[in-house]
């Protein structure tokens, strides 16, 4: 006979039965709890991702620094390198200023100078004068001292943390003034440099290679074909065939005023020992237009993309003979490794900040991690594809640099730009601030601007709809075929209410070889070129009501 169940036993059975009946509801609760936990985990990682992807943006002016020229990113800070002066009213009395600034807000972390005393002087020109070399850093600088006023191209080797100069014994031996421009380490045992020497209004450039102890391996000289000519090297770029590309600006017809110089941009391609293979002027010799401030990068297909401006136009002879080209453009060209120009284009009409009465200077063009390219002029950043198609352009001037906060003659230039680890950009440069509402006295200062991947100093600037202001319609024309063997056709479009329009064809010296009036009721004209014209580059100039409205170049093949 089975034992009678006790009340406790019955209660346990009842509890178990109750639990068993409620189990399906418990499972649903359990699943909901798991889903909620996964959701919270996902939200957590999204939040962390947002924090990690957040990009700092700031603008700072740098103390003891009248011109910042280069920058490097470290783990927790940016290091800026610029020029300061103990006595700004004495030419050449300069030192290099090294400033570590916070990645979060640009506040100064530490600062030091080189040379440490006021008996020796040194300066840095731009980003291309500074390079990372293995676990060290190297700067090429133009140096002098009170005891030895001769300008010398010297090298400063810095430690990995950029806290001190560990070797300053390297220099290029010369008996005349030497000017430093660019330095580019190649591997562990070769340091390439471009150094200039002035003698009676002629600057010769030497392309040099040194080993890891500072001994000269080889050197190659380059000189202008003109009698009075300065060469201003800009970059040393290794090419895919083992050689090098040099970007150089030629200032021809040098005069005392500095306003009658004709600047011409050139590319020099060398072999692995610096021997010239070819030289090309992408903007031609340009007369009467200059081709200023050339910069370049190599492209994935092994070719070269270069950029320059035609900022000035010759309007007379002698001093003060050059004026701002009101129709200037930012031009790009693709060059192959044999020195052939494959195409040329202008982006000026698509840029956010490009005004006819301003002077624009290009200083850097860099390749980016996403395969695109960034270019800086004045205080603007332009992002383009490898075919020079515009992705975006930004005027990154802070409000302090703009009227009425600063005066109308204020000038600012970005001399160095790097892509940062958060895919943004760090820019450094120099500002000449004239008095305005927020600038009480003339101020020359170095600055640093950190923007995000869209070039925005203010978050979301790429999403803001800018009010479109219709500008007065300009004349447009194109020349084809180009190149040509004997005739050209001009297709043109004139703005309304035009009184007169004419076209001129000039050779590269500016001599007019053809001129004719254009009908304001037509849009097309054929021109047969003189059979006695020699082959070469010619320039078509369109004038409307006495004002320059367009310039196009074409090549005549004979």
């Amino acid at each position: 006979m089975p034992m009678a169940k006790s009340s406790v036993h019955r209660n346990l059975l009842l509890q178990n039965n109750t639990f068993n009946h409620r189990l399906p509801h418990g499972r649903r609760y359990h699943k909901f709890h798991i889903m909620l936990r996964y959701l919270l985990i996902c939200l957590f990682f999204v939040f962390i991702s947002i924090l990690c992807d957040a990009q700092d943006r700031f603008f700072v002016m740098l103390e003891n620094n009248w011109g910042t020229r280069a920058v490097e990113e470290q783990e927790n800070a940016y290091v800026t390198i610029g020029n300061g002066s103990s006595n700004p009213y004495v030419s050449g009395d300069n030192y290099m200023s090294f400033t570590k600034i916070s990645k979060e807000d640009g506040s100064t972390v530490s600062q030091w100078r080189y040379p440490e005393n006021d008996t020796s002087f040194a300066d840095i020109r731009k980003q291309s004068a500074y390079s990372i070399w293995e676990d060290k850093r190297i700067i090429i600088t133009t140096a002098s001292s009170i005891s030895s006023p001769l300008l010398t191209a010297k090298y400063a080797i810095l430690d990995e943390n950029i806290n001190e100069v560990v070797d300053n014994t390297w220099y290029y031996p010369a008996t005349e003034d030497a000017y430093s421009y660019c330095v580019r380490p190649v591997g562990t045992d070769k340091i390439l440099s471009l150094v200039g020497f002035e003698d009676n209004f002629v600057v010769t450039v030497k392309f040099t290679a040194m080993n890891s102890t500072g001994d000269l391996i080889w050197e190659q000289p380059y000189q202008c074909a003109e009698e009075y000519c300065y060469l201003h090297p800009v970059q040393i770029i290794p090419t895919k065939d083992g050689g090098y590309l040099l970007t150089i600006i030629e200032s021809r017809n040098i005069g005392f005023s500095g306003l009658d110089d004709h600047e011409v941009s050139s590319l020099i391609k060398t072999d692995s020992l610096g021997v010239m293979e070819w030289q090309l002027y992408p903007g031609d010799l340009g007369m009467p237009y200059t081709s200023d401030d050339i910069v370049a990068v190599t492209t994935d297909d092994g070719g070269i993309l270069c950029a320059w401006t035609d900022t000035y136009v010759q309007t007379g002879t002698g001093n003060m003979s050059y004026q701002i080209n009101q129709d200037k453009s930012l031009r790009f060209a693709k060059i192959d490794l044999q020195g052939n120009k494959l195409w040329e284009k202008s982006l000026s009409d698509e840029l956010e900040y490009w005004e006819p009465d301003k002077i624009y200077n290009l200083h850097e063009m860099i390749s980016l991690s996403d395969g695109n390219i960034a270019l800086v002029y004045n205080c603007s950043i332009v992002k383009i594809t490898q075919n020079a198609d515009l992705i975006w352009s930004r005027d990154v001037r802070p409000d302090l640099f703009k009227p009425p906060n600063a005066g109308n003659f204020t000038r600012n230039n970005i001399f160095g730009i790097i892509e940062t680890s958060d895919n943004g950009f760090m820019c450094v440069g120099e500002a000449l601030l004239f008095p305005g509402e927020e600038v009480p006295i003339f101020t020359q200062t170095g600055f640093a601007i950190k923007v995000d991947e869209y070039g925005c100093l203010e978050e979301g600037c790429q999403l803001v709809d800018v009010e479109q202001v219709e500008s007065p319609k300009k004349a447009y024309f194109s020349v084809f075929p180009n190149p040509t063997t004997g005739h050209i056709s001009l297709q043109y479009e004139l703005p309304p209410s035009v009184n007169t329009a004419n076209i001129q064809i000039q050779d590269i010296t500016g001599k007019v070889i053809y001129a004719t009036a254009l009908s304001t009721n037509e849009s097309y004209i054929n021109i047969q070129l003189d059979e006695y014209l020699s082959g070469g580059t010619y320039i078509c100039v369109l004038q409307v009501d006495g004002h320059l409205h367009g310039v196009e170049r074409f090549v005549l093949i004979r």
Side-chain angles (χ1 to χ4, degrees):
M1 178 176 176
M3 294 180 60
K5 295 182 176 69
S6 68
S7 60
V8 174
H9 193 188
R10 284 197 300 270
N11 288 339
L12 286 174
L13 288 173
L14 288 172
Q15 290 177 12
N16 286 338
N17 288 336
T18 303
F19 175 79
N20 289 334
H21 284 300
R22 293 179 178 176
L23 186 58
H25 298 284
R27 285 174 181 164
R28 286 196 296 269
Y29 175 79
H30 185 60
K31 288 180 179 179
F32 172 75
H33 181 72
I34 291 174
M35 291 176 63
L36 180 61
R37 183 167 57 184
Y38 281 154
L39 178 61
L40 291 174
I41 291 173
C42 291
L43 290 174
F44 172 78
F45 280 109
V46 168
F47 177 71
I48 293 297
S49 176
I50 292 173
L51 287 179
C52 292
D53 290 340
Q55 296 183 325
D56 297 313
R57 304 168 190 84
F58 59 78
F59 153 69
V60 291
M61 294 195 295
L62 299 170
E63 297 179 5
N64 303 323
N65 192 334
W66 52 257
T68 314
R69 303 304 173 97
V71 62
E72 181 185 328
E73 181 180 10
Q74 294 188 322
E75 183 177 358
N76 298 312
Y78 297 106
V79 180
T80 67
I81 305 103
N83 297 321
S85 179
S86 302
N87 186 353
Y89 302 103
V90 177
S91 177
D93 187 8
N94 303 329
Y95 57 79
M96 289 188 293
S97 177
F98 297 82
T99 306
K100 285 189 179 182
I101 60 176
S102 164
K103 279 190 171 183
E104 295 182 0
D105 58 9
S107 58
T108 297
V109 176
S110 62
Q111 190 174 58
W112 60 282
R113 57 170 280 186
Y114 172 82
E116 297 179 355
N117 55 61
D118 292 336
T119 61
S120 299
F121 317 112
D123 64 17
I124 178 175
R125 287 182 176 264
K126 58 175 60 179
Q127 188 77 39
S128 58
Y130 174 84
S131 280
I132 298 173
W133 177 34
E134 297 296 304
D135 60 346
K136 299 179 286 294
R137 308 295 184 266
I138 185 168
I139 300 175
I140 187 169
T141 176
T142 302
S144 64
S145 66
I146 292 177
S147 60
S148 179
L150 186 73
L151 297 178
T152 305
K154 295 196 69 173
Y155 300 82
I157 313 297
L158 292 86
D159 69 312
E160 181 179 10
N161 296 318
I162 320 178
N163 288 326
E164 62 178 342
V165 173
V166 296
D167 190 348
N168 63 354
T169 59
W170 296 17
Y171 68 97
Y172 182 87
T175 57
E176 62 272 332
D177 283 341
Y179 300 87
S180 63
Y181 291 95
C182 315
V183 64
R184 183 72 180 252
V186 179
T188 61
D189 57 356
K190 185 185 292 184
I191 310 294
L192 303 176
S193 305
L194 286 169
V195 181
F197 304 89
E198 181 182 355
D199 182 21
N200 193 27
F201 290 100
V202 175
V203 169
T204 300
V205 168
K206 288 188 178 180
F207 184 23
T208 72
M210 297 183 303
N211 62 20
S212 58
T213 58
D215 300 317
L216 191 66
I217 304 172
W218 52 254
E219 63 179 359
Q220 297 291 345
Y222 307 114
Q223 188 170 330
C224 268
E226 299 290 317
E227 183 177 2
Y228 298 108
C229 182
Y230 282 5
L231 295 182
H232 304 280
V234 181
Q235 296 167 290
I236 304 169
I237 305 171
T239 53
K240 288 196 172 182
D241 61 357
Y244 305 103
L245 181 77
L246 313 180
T247 57
I248 295 179
I249 303 168
E250 298 181 10
S251 291
R252 300 183 172 205
N253 306 319
I254 293 295
F256 291 100
S257 72
L259 296 175
D260 53 355
D261 306 346
H262 188 82
E263 292 202 345
V264 180
S265 292
S266 70
L267 301 173
I268 293 178
K269 172 66 174 63
T270 80
D271 64 14
S272 60
L273 297 177
V275 178
M276 184 189 298
E277 295 179 339
W278 51 260
Q279 183 172 16
L280 177 71
Y281 299 95
D284 305 306
L285 295 183
M287 298 296 292
Y289 301 94
T290 61
S291 57
D292 312 83
D293 299 336
I294 189 166
V295 288
V297 295
T298 55
T299 52
D300 290 344
D301 60 5
I304 300 156
L305 180 67
C306 62
W308 70 96
T309 64
D310 47 3
T311 302
Y312 296 97
V313 57
Q314 187 179 29
T315 57
T317 58
N319 291 349
M320 307 294 289
S321 62
Y322 282 81
Q323 305 296 325
I324 296 176
N325 177 12
Q326 298 294 313
D327 197 44
K328 61 183 164 292
S329 57
L330 174 58
R331 306 197 71 83
F332 295 86
K334 182 67 178 292
I335 316 294
D336 65 21
L337 283 184
Q338 289 69 49
N340 302 305
K341 184 163 71 171
L342 306 180
W343 50 258
E344 179 179 337
K345 66 169 68 173
S346 169
L347 289 184
S348 306
D349 294 338
E350 303 176 52
L351 301 177
E352 179 179 0
Y353 184 68
W354 190 270
E355 298 178 358
D357 59 342
K358 302 293 184 182
I359 298 172
Y360 295 110
N361 302 112
L362 311 185
H363 291 291
E364 289 289 335
M365 186 156 70
I366 60 173
S367 299
L368 303 176
S369 59
D370 62 2
N372 294 307
I373 293 165
L375 167 79
V376 291
Y377 67 87
N378 289 30
C379 216
S380 291
I381 307 175
V382 179
K383 186 174 181 179
I384 58 174
T385 68
Q386 295 192 20
N387 290 319
D389 297 320
L390 183 67
I391 300 174
W392 51 255
S393 72
R394 298 279 182 265
D395 174 13
V396 298
R397 289 178 301 165
D399 290 340
L400 181 64
F401 289 1
K402 301 175 184 178
N405 295 326
N408 289 325
F409 295 103
T410 290
R411 293 193 62 185
N412 33 76
N413 279 288
I414 294 173
F415 285 101
I417 181 174
I418 60 171
E419 184 181 17
T420 54
S421 57
D422 62 0
N423 299 120
F425 299 93
M426 182 66 175
C427 309
V428 293
E430 174 183 315
L432 303 177
L433 304 175
F434 283 78
E437 293 180 2
E438 300 294 331
V439 181
I441 60 174
F442 173 80
T443 303
Q444 182 175 358
T445 181
F447 64 82
I449 298 176
K450 172 64 174 66
V451 296
D452 64 20
E453 61 184 309
Y454 303 105
C456 297
L457 184 56
E458 299 293 334
E459 183 177 4
C461 77
Q462 80 278 11
L463 304 176
V464 176
D465 292 327
V466 179
E467 181 181 357
Q468 298 297 316
V469 180
E470 186 174 354
S471 58
K473 187 175 181 182
K474 293 192 69 174
Y476 160 82
F477 81 109
S478 61
V479 180
F480 59 92
N482 186 12
T484 181
T485 57
H487 80 279
I488 57 173
S489 298
L490 272 68
Q491 185 171 357
Y492 61 92
E493 181 181 347
L494 301 176
S497 305
V498 168
N499 294 318
T500 61
N502 63 76
I503 194 79
Q504 291 183 353
I505 299 178
Q506 305 173 358
D507 63 19
I508 60 173
T509 68
K511 178 182 177 182
V512 177
I513 61 172
Y514 179 89
T516 187
L518 298 177
S519 170
T520 57
N521 298 319
E522 302 290 339
S523 61
Y524 191 84
I525 183 174
N526 286 315
I527 300 174
Q528 183 65 42
L529 300 173
D530 195 316
E531 62 181 359
Y532 298 107
L533 287 178
S534 59
T537 300
Y538 292 85
I539 302 165
C540 287
V541 179
L542 173 64
Q543 291 186 322
V544 177
D545 290 336
H547 299 287
L548 180 68
H549 268 244
V551 177
E552 291 291 336
R553 299 175 176 87
F554 68 90
V555 176
L556 175 62
I557 299 175
R558 293 296 197 192

